[in-house]
Amino acid sequence: MSVPDYMQCAEDHQTLLVVVQPVGIVPEESFFRIYKRISAVSQVNVRDSQRVLYIRYRHHYPPENNEWGDFQTHRKVVGLITITECSSAKEWPQTFEKFHLQKEMYGSTLYDSRLFVFGLQGEIAEQPRTDVAFYPSYDECENVEKRIEDFIESLFIVLESKRLDRATDKSGDKIPLLCVPFEKKDFVGLDTDSRHYKKRCQGRMRKHVGDLCLQAGMLQDSLVHYHMAVELLRSVNDFLWLGAALEGLCSASVIYHYPGGTGGRVGSRRAQGGSLSAEAGNRHRPGAQEVLIDPGALTSNGINADTSAEIGRAKNCLSPEDIIEKYKEAISYYGKYKNAGVIELEACVKAVRVLAMQKRSMEASEFLQNAVYINLRQLSEEEKIQRYSILSELYERIGFHRKSAFFKRIAAMQCAAPSIPEPGWRACYKLLLETLPGYSLSLDPQDFSKGTHRGWAAVQMRLLHELVYASRRMGNPALCVRHLSFLLQTMLDFLSDQEKKDVTQSLESYTAKCPGTMEVITLPDGLKLPPVPFTKLPIVKSVKLLNLPASLRPHKMKSLLGQNVSTKSPFIYSPIIAHSRGEERNKKIDFQWVQGDVCEVQLMVYNPMPFELRVENMGLLTTGVEFESLPAALSLPAESGLYPVTLVGVPQTTGQITVNGYHTSVFGVFSDCLLDNLPGVKTNGCNVEVIPALPRLQISTSLPRSAHTLQPSSGDEISTNVSVQLYNGETQQLIIKLENIGTEPLEKLEVTAKTVNTKEKLYGDFLSWNLEDTLCQFPLKPGKIATFIVNIKVKLDFSCQENLLQDLSDDGISVSGLPLSSPFRQVVKPRVETKPLNPQESSKVGDFSHVKFYLGNKQVKLLIYKCVSCGPLALLIHHHLILQHRKHDCSTGEVLAKLLKPLCFMT
């Protein structure tokens, strides 16, 4: 026997083997359609008895395996069902002849056979026949199952007669010696009358009868016969058959202890004799039907289900621990024979299935390791694939997931072996996918962002490269791109610099033909490959939503002329909602965006690659409102540090907008990177309110801009500064132009004035205006300009200051005196009194001059000061007459604290 059945399990020893094959030309679909209905009748209940028969169907069975039917009867083909098509009476003789030739292939072991003919009608089809059934078509064959029931009944009758015939002790008859094919030549010339020979014959026949009893549903009898066979065969050192007897004893005990079966197939087993059960449904095909057989025509010594029978059965049955020991012993005996390699291999598989039921994984692995090294004949590539696949399945059953993946990967590589003319790359790819769980590998990138890396990265990278290669040989570039993207994203930390360059070059070559997308790829078998976003190319460390520029920030509208009323609600502490408030605060943004205005989000990124990384089409991903993302392109240096990147966009509608992430295009792969999938990313919040579009106002004046700021503006104000010089009592108009440069009309305008003085020494009201003409132009439409006039009139109070000179001295100002020609009507010749203001700094500054004159009956002294750095003159009235003062800053840092405008006295 050269072809092992890797699906064998211990309960198969109680089945009858029936082969179903086509004769002539039969469409494959039609054949398997009928085969499915036939194989559904797999469990048979013997009427008026608690015995249950099991049928095992095969549509292909090697004839050489049938020669081992005496060694183990469940290997013997006892039934043959053939299916054929015949359209005319002329074809019938030839068809029937083919049926007989098919029977001759298994003729030595067949109990009965049937021929199902489809398509033939007429006189021939109407003739009643036992072994032939005629049907007009594949759709008109309602009684196929009934025919199979009758066929199984005939098999049972033959089986029971053989059991009875060989179980009866015929002392006067000579017991034949049962042999396996390779033994026949070894027994030529032996003394058939020796006691040793007779014991060998008795032991083998006892073992054979035990097989027949087990098939006939007589478990207790089979246990008794197996025990007797073991003792007889052990006494004559008939090791091959002793191993078979021990294996039969193990199989019967397994059936007793594990009524649900050990094959792990779909189906249940019914109770038999109160403690045994039988498989409901074919273990190879679902949908089993039960058939009742009346054995009344036979004199049966079937077992009655009484208490004594149960006691006897339990006494002869092996314990679960002894089952494994006997399996080991049987396998050791099989190992003594080179030609029994298939028997040894199948016994190992059966023992592993039993150990899997007992949860004894380490012992099961020893049996499997032994099975790996069993030397069979030169196997074909298909047989090698089947062998490694079954080994993988068994390792999976005992929990050795990585070992299972190892053998499945070998099976995958065997599918594309160089010796195969047409390598099966699709089968190779499918098997490689099945190995992923064993290596702690998943094709979902989300599984790699939840924590530390699991599994051996080197093995995982090798497997991913093999998936890429198999995808390429299948002619599917989209799969290549997906697997390479997954490799680069999940294994980036384990790739060397050279490997990073090689992988990216390969990826760019594939994406040139088929760009990478964010679509789910569905394989023919239904497996879905999720998209792989490049969240590490580049790596984002923080995301910050930016406020609008100061000139574009929206402010809550409030009257400039009225009182501000606080709208804040009272604070109420509640410990129940404290945590939820904290979470909300983490996501809350304290500013707003405006519809139609450009909004910005700043990302801090860096490039982990050893070469320059070009990121194209980088933009924002948002939800909540319609948002126009303005993509950007950037180039990051090799292994750069944190690099700021600002992404912009324009909200087109109003509402609550959520920034979910960003999209990129790297190496030809388009990625949508969500912030929820970025571990460790810092953000100031993701939600911001977008308010309706607001008017935008641009203001220009008729006065020149001032180089100095009058007062620092607060965060809520936008300021501009203009300057004007006026004499006391002088009036000047300030023309202000208001231009609507936005898209919304300007509906409201309020104007207020405030006098700012840091030392509060000046008083007066200088500005006046009339808004009626201006408000007539409102609402101001986009692009339109409105003007209004502010009248500036200087009216100052000169009676409020007493210590102005002291203020100047306190400021530490360097001054120098100059002569002055007074324009007054009464001019007094000036008396120059030279005296340094600050003797310590006399080298730096000049003197100040005193000019005395009289206005009416009052003596007035004028002080003239000059800044030594930039030279502006100041005219100061000593007698508390101050027109104006202001700060003066020069480029050298010397400051003149008080500067006065030229003063003209009128008599």
Side-chain angles (χ1 to χ4, degrees), residues 409-421:
R409 178 178 169 273
I410 294 179
M413 295 297 100
Q414 209 66 45
C415 292
S419 58
I420 300 179

Side-chain angles (χ1 to χ4, degrees), residues 130-347:
T130 305
D131 58 344
V132 181
F134 295 95
Y135 298 101
S137 66
Y138 292 103
D139 296 325
E140 301 177 34
C141 52
E142 293 80 7
N143 66 341
V144 166
E145 289 80 5
K146 182 63 173 63
R147 292 274 187 173
I148 299 300
E149 294 171 8
D150 297 338
F151 173 65
I152 294 176
E153 182 177 354
S154 67
L155 295 181
F156 171 75
I157 294 173
V158 177
L159 172 65
E160 188 70 3
S161 64
K162 286 181 176 291
R163 184 191 67 80
L164 291 173
D165 180 61
R166 298 190 178 186
T168 305
D169 186 11
K170 301 176 181 179
S171 57
D173 296 340
K174 197 170 186 179
I175 300 175
L177 178 66
L178 301 176
C179 299
V180 296
F182 71 87
E183 285 183 321
K184 294 178 180 179
K185 61 181 180 180
D186 297 334
F187 292 130
V188 176
L190 287 181
D191 183 7
T192 57
D193 295 329
S194 65
R195 185 177 180 182
H196 186 278
Y197 183 82
K198 290 181 179 180
K199 275 193 172 184
R200 185 192 297 267
C201 293
Q202 291 174 358
R204 293 188 177 189
M205 184 56 69
R206 282 289 181 185
K207 187 267 171 194
H208 181 68
V209 174
D211 288 347
L212 293 176
C213 291
L214 190 60
Q215 286 183 309
M218 304 174 64
L219 183 58
Q220 180 181 344
D221 283 19
S222 66
L223 288 169
V224 172
H225 286 294
Y226 285 137
H227 275 291
M228 295 177 64
V230 168
E231 296 301 324
L232 289 170
L233 294 170
R234 195 186 298 277
S235 64
V236 295
N237 292 333
D238 193 355
F239 295 119
L240 181 62
W241 285 78
L242 174 58
L246 290 171
E247 186 182 353
L249 185 60
C250 292
S251 298
S253 302
V254 168
I255 293 170
Y256 174 79
H257 286 292
Y258 306 103
T262 62
R265 296 154 182 159
V266 178
S268 60
R269 296 174 67 88
R270 299 186 304 110
Q272 173 185 343
S275 61
L276 298 180
S277 62
E279 201 175 51
N282 185 8
R283 292 190 304 270
H284 308 290
R285 294 282 178 175
Q289 297 183 4
E290 297 182 8
V291 183
L292 299 179
I293 298 176
D294 184 8
L298 299 174
T299 304
S300 172
N301 58 350
I303 304 300
N304 293 324
D306 54 11
T307 306
S308 60
E310 284 302 311
I311 295 174
R313 181 178 299 144
K315 180 180 179 181
N316 294 318
C317 186
L318 300 175
S319 67
E321 292 75 16
D322 290 339
I323 291 174
I324 304 304
E325 293 302 319
K326 296 303 180 184
Y327 262 125
K328 289 181 180 179
E329 185 179 355
I331 291 170
S332 67
Y333 293 145
Y334 290 150
K336 296 177 181 292
Y337 298 88
K338 181 180 179 180
N339 295 317
V342 172
I343 304 294
E344 180 185 1
L345 177 61
E346 292 181 357

Side-chain angles (χ1 to χ4, degrees), residues 818-851:
L818 292 177
L820 176 68
S821 297
S822 174
F824 302 138
R825 178 180 299 178
Q826 298 179 11
V827 180
V828 181
K829 184 177 180 181
R831 179 174 60 87
V832 179
E833 298 178 8
T834 303
K835 183 178 181 181
L837 183 64
N838 189 350
Q840 296 179 355
E841 297 180 358
S842 58
S843 60
K844 288 183 60 180
V845 301
D847 297 333
F848 62 89
S849 299
H850 294 261
V851 180

